[in-house]
């Protein structure tokens, strides 16, 4: 209708909670792909053309080609804290504001990374399979021995919000905590969380659990490779709920098979949704389909925050959680 012609218009590229979609619909015109699968690339670009806003998931690549084809775009609101699916430099050059969804998912993601850590150390998935397969005929003293968590050393790679949330959980387990990050935490934080900053080699050598919470950057791609896996203790576990390409999956499959380390818990993969075939048959790895932030409450919070980010830019306001505010200056 007449008024709706004047309203900004956005594309929501994939299925989101109805509440978040209604929130957007109350203020802008919405083209919503409610089929929970990514749009084919050509259709994605066609449907975005002429619109000012995009709310997208990590399965959508927002790159130079797409930005060039959609010159009316003002904001790309990612429903994720990680934004390696978006070429932020290209967006900034074109004055497109990029936003993400930090904070609302921190504790939920750390809960799940901790779940993976516990499940991997205590062999929960193997135990479940054992019972379902009808093998539990007799209590056995020697059955399914795992590794202890309490009192061990936790090495946190990437000491941002989620890394720190892991350190808080480790306190309850009486763990010694090391962290590695390009930027040191301030002394008060280190004291409060009882953590010590080390270089990556020391962290890998001394930790019983290595948990990854770094963004995917050129310098973190394959940070965990054959050499780093060889540096870890044979009794150690690797947990990845960050981004798949931080780990060289082929090297990890070899390390798990040949016993260079004891086990791994993975929520993310190098070529999602594909999983390295070498991992699939191994008992000492727990695999999850990228669900660390997937509590019903948190996923709704993420969707609402992304919508709010998108609407704020379209209404000329500063979005709550921008990635490249300098893009605004280029408009
Ligand atoms: C993120 O937020 O970056 C997750 O990987 C998706 O929830």
């Amino acid at each position: 209708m007449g008024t709706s012609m004047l309203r900004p218009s956005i594309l929501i590229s994939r299925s989101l909670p109805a509440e978040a979609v209604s929130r957007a619909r109350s203020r802008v015109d919405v083209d919503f792909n409610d089929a929970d699968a990514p749009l084919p690339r050509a259709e994605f670009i066609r449907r975005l053309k002429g619109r000012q806003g995009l709310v997208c998931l990590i399965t959508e690549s927002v790159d130079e080609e797409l930005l060039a084809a959609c010159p009316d775009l003002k904001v790309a609101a990612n429903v994720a804290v990680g934004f390696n699916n978006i070429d932020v430099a290209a967006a900034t050059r074109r004055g497109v504001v990029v936003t993400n969804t930090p904070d609302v998912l921190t504790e939920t993601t750390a809960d799940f990374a901790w779940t993976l850590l516990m499940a991997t150390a205590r062999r929960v998935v193997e135990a479940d399979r054992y019972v379902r397969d009808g093998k539990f005929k007799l209590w056995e003293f020697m059955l399914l021995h795992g590794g202890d968590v309490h009192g061990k050393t936790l090495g946190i790679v990437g000491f941002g919000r989620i890394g720190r949330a892991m350190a808080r959980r480790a306190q309850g387990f009486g763990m010694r905590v090391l962290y590695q990050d390009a930027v040191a935490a301030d002394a008060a934080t280190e004291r409060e969380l009882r953590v010590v900053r080390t270089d990556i080699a020391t962290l890998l050598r001394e930790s019983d659990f290595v948990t990854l919470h770094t963004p995917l950057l050129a310098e973190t791609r394959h940070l965990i490779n054959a050499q780093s896996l060889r540096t870890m203790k044979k009794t150690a576990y690797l947990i990845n709920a960050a981004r798949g390409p931080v780990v060289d999956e082929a090297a990890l499959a070899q390390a798990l098979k040949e016993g260079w380390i004891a086990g791994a818990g993975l929520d993310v993969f190098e070529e999602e949704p594909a999983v390295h075939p070498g991992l699939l048959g191994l008992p000492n790895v727990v695999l999850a389909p990228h669900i660390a932030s997937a509590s019903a409450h948190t996923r709704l919070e993420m969707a609402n925050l992304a919508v709010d980010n998108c609407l704020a830019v379209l209404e000329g306001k500063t979005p709550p959680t921008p990635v490249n505010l300098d893009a605004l200056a280029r408009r």
Side-chain angles (χ1 to χ4, degrees):
M1 308 251 252
T3 45
S4 89
M5 296 293 289
L6 300 172
R7 296 193 340 156
S9 138
I10 71 169
L11 173 66
I12 299 181
S13 65
R14 279 189 64 186
S15 183
L16 285 186
E19 183 185 317
V21 178
S22 308
R23 200 181 180 97
R25 283 202 166 120
S26 68
R27 295 187 7 220
V28 292
D29 285 346
V30 177
D31 178 8
F32 174 40
N33 169 32
D34 64 354
D36 193 21
L39 292 168
R41 176 79 174 170
E43 186 183 345
F44 178 36
I45 292 179
R46 184 178 57 70
R47 284 171 68 168
L48 187 59
K49 259 189 194 157
R51 299 186 195 279
Q52 296 77 43
L54 169 66
V55 175
C56 62
L57 302 188
I58 56 172
T59 43
E60 275 77 67
S61 172
V62 176
D63 55 14
E64 185 71 57
E65 179 204 32
L66 176 133
L67 292 165
C70 303
D72 296 317
L73 195 66
K74 291 187 170 138
V75 52
N78 217 29
V79 194
V81 66
F83 46 84
N84 50 289
N85 55 311
I86 300 181
D87 183 340
V88 178
T92 306
R93 276 196 304 276
R94 291 176 181 277
V96 175
V97 178
V98 176
T99 65
N100 67 342
T101 60
D103 302 316
V104 292
L105 50 62
T106 300
E107 300 301 329
T108 301
T109 302
D111 280 351
F112 190 78
W114 201 266
T115 302
L116 266 184
L117 184 154
M118 296 292 295
T120 306
R122 297 304 308 272
R123 305 175 65 177
V124 172
V125 175
E126 284 177 88
D128 177 89
R129 218 172 283 138
Y130 185 86
V131 175
R132 286 176 201 271
D133 289 350
K135 293 183 181 157
F136 187 30
K137 305 273 193 234
L138 180 69
W139 182 78
E140 285 180 55
F141 190 73
M142 298 305 289
L143 184 65
L144 286 168
H145 292 185
D148 272 326
V149 175
H150 68 274
K152 296 292 183 178
T153 298
L154 176 67
I156 302 174
V157 178
F159 206 55
R161 300 172 185 86
I162 300 170
R164 289 169 198 216
M166 291 297 278
R168 280 198 301 279
R169 282 157 180 73
Q171 288 188 359
F173 284 77
M175 298 176 91
R176 169 182 177 237
V177 182
L178 307 176
Y179 78 93
Q180 185 272 329
D181 197 293
V183 181
D186 58 59
T189 302
E190 290 192 347
R191 242 187 340 269
E192 183 204 329
L193 297 178
R194 288 183 251 133
V195 296
V196 174
R197 184 169 177 235
T198 64
D199 56 87
I200 186 79
T202 307
L203 182 145
L204 292 169
R205 213 171 33 246
E206 296 191 8
S207 297
D208 300 296
F209 296 89
V210 173
T211 186
L212 306 177
H213 300 287
T214 176
L216 177 61
L217 307 167
E219 53 278 26
T220 59
R221 186 174 290 275
H222 284 194
L223 180 70
I224 302 298
N225 51 36
Q227 194 193 335
S228 26
L229 290 161
R230 289 260 190 219
T231 308
M232 289 171 66
K233 297 180 187 180
K234 281 192 164 24
T235 51
Y237 299 87
L238 176 72
I239 307 302
N240 189 7
R243 283 292 181 265
V246 176
V247 176
D248 177 344
E249 237 168 59
L252 177 62
Q254 186 182 1
L256 291 168
K257 185 159 177 238
E258 297 178 4
W260 309 355
I261 65 172
L266 306 176
D267 184 45
V268 288
F269 303 90
E270 262 197 275
E271 304 284 350
E272 287 179 19
V275 178
H276 191 283
L279 293 172
L280 291 171
L282 295 175
N284 54 345
V285 58
V286 175
L287 307 170
H290 202 149
I291 56 166
S293 65
S295 74
H297 173 78
T298 291
R299 284 282 160 96
L300 176 60
E301 295 266 292
M302 291 166 68
N304 282 339
L305 177 55
V307 166
D308 287 351
N309 273 316
C310 185
L311 296 178
V313 174
L314 298 183
E315 291 167 0
K317 300 178 196 142
T318 302
T321 51
V323 168
N324 64 342
L325 251 198
D326 40 335
L328 276 180
R330 299 205 171 223
R331 280 253 143 213

